[in-house]
Amino acid sequence: HRMADSVLGVLRKKIRHEMNELADAMSVGSCANMEQYRQMVGKVEGLAWLEREIIDLEEKMNDPDARWD
């Protein structure tokens, strides 16, 4: 599990970094229009979902009694 933990940890950090970059860009008004704003919000939502899935997976991998259904 050590290799998987390491890979998932790196992936989770990259996802968090990208989410922060998008949030920073939106907060300073870098969106040219509402369409671009919606696109960026959609990316953040997708990354947040993926991050949560990775966290859940990491928890399952560390729990010998975890159910995989």
Side-chain angles (χ1 to χ4, degrees):
H1 286 241
R2 303 285 287 157
M3 177 73 148
D5 288 343
S6 174
V7 169
L8 291 174
V10 168
L11 186 57
R12 190 172 21 82
K13 286 177 187 171
K14 287 179 177 260
I15 290 166
R16 173 55 56 180
H17 176 75
E18 183 63 20
M19 286 171 59
N20 289 338
E21 290 290 312
L22 287 164
D24 289 348
M26 287 188 293
S27 70
V28 297
S30 69
C31 298
N33 53 44
M34 196 61 174
E35 181 181 339
Q36 188 178 27
Y37 175 79
R38 284 190 198 115
Q39 183 183 32
M40 291 176 87
V41 168
K43 286 180 182 180
V44 171
E45 289 173 341
L47 290 169
W49 175 84
L50 183 57
E51 181 184 46
R52 183 72 248 167
E53 289 294 313
I54 289 171
I55 291 168
D56 291 348
L57 180 58
E58 288 174 318
E59 289 173 359
K60 280 185 178 182
M61 290 172 61
N62 292 318
D63 180 0
D65 299 322
R67 295 183 57 193
W68 292 89
D69 53 358

